[in-house]
Amino acid sequence: MLRRIGPDSPDLPRIAALIAAHPRTLLQQTEADVQALAADPKSRVLVWDRGEGFAGFATIEALYPQVVFLTNLALTQPGRGDGGALIRAALELAFTDMRAHRLFCDIAFDNAAGLAAFARAGLVREGTMRECWLRADGWVDCHAYSMLAREWKALT
């Protein structure tokens, strides 16, 4: 289950810790950054709960009217096959609750699991953004992926 949290949620430290634990694959946002995003009525901070409590999260930012950016998505226990379910839940929320026309994200070129999961979920690779993320070891390229509302409807 995917649920929206607010700026005073007890889940915020867990989200910040998960972001900090994955500096090579997640956009490095502080707890204050995530809290501000949770306070924004146009955006969403979402907690993934598989019946056992906090299992991951996703953040979706409304950038333009009906255009949203999936900025982060992570699981506490990757490799169990839950990534696709979390991505599908985030897509459903974006295209229904947020009434998005377009959802896009970028994924570091060396995040093979993330690239495969988004492709399996039906997102379309649009191209490569050169040196779009600055990590501790330098700038890295990212691949841009997107889905349009009509493509999501065709999948469902």
Side-chain angles (χ1 to χ4, degrees), residues 2-155:
L2 200 57
R3 61 180 164 80
R4 184 178 183 183
I5 63 168
D8 56 351
S9 171
D11 290 311
L12 288 172
R14 282 178 250 182
I15 292 170
L18 196 53
I19 290 171
H22 298 282
R24 298 189 59 79
T25 58
L26 296 179
L27 176 63
Q28 290 299 294
Q29 295 171 306
T30 66
E31 185 173 337
D33 294 332
V34 178
Q35 185 176 36
L37 189 60
D40 181 349
K42 296 180 290 185
S43 298
R44 305 289 186 273
V45 176
L46 307 160
V47 167
W48 182 244
D49 184 339
R50 298 288 289 166
E52 304 161 359
F54 182 85
F57 78 100
T59 55
I60 303 175
E61 298 186 41
L63 295 184
Y64 313 108
Q66 295 183 286
V67 176
V68 299
F69 181 30
L70 179 62
T71 51
N72 265 327
L73 183 137
L75 296 164
T76 57
Q77 297 179 346
R80 293 181 9 167
D82 290 339
L86 176 52
I87 292 169
R88 287 188 300 277
L91 291 171
E92 181 176 355
L93 185 134
F95 291 116
T96 59
D97 180 57
M98 298 178 79
R99 296 190 176 116
H101 168 73
R102 172 185 167 83
L103 174 138
F104 71 100
C105 62
D106 55 49
I107 305 157
F109 80 100
D110 56 357
N111 182 354
L115 293 168
F118 280 98
R120 278 192 308 272
L123 280 84
V124 175
R125 182 171 167 187
E126 294 185 327
T128 300
M129 296 180 292
R130 299 176 308 138
E131 298 183 3
C132 75
W133 281 16
L134 179 59
R135 298 195 299 212
D137 58 347
W139 288 96
V140 297
D141 295 348
C142 295
H143 299 303
Y145 280 78
S146 73
M147 181 175 280
L148 303 176
R150 67 178 169 267
E151 295 166 338
W152 177 78
K153 286 177 186 168
L155 289 175

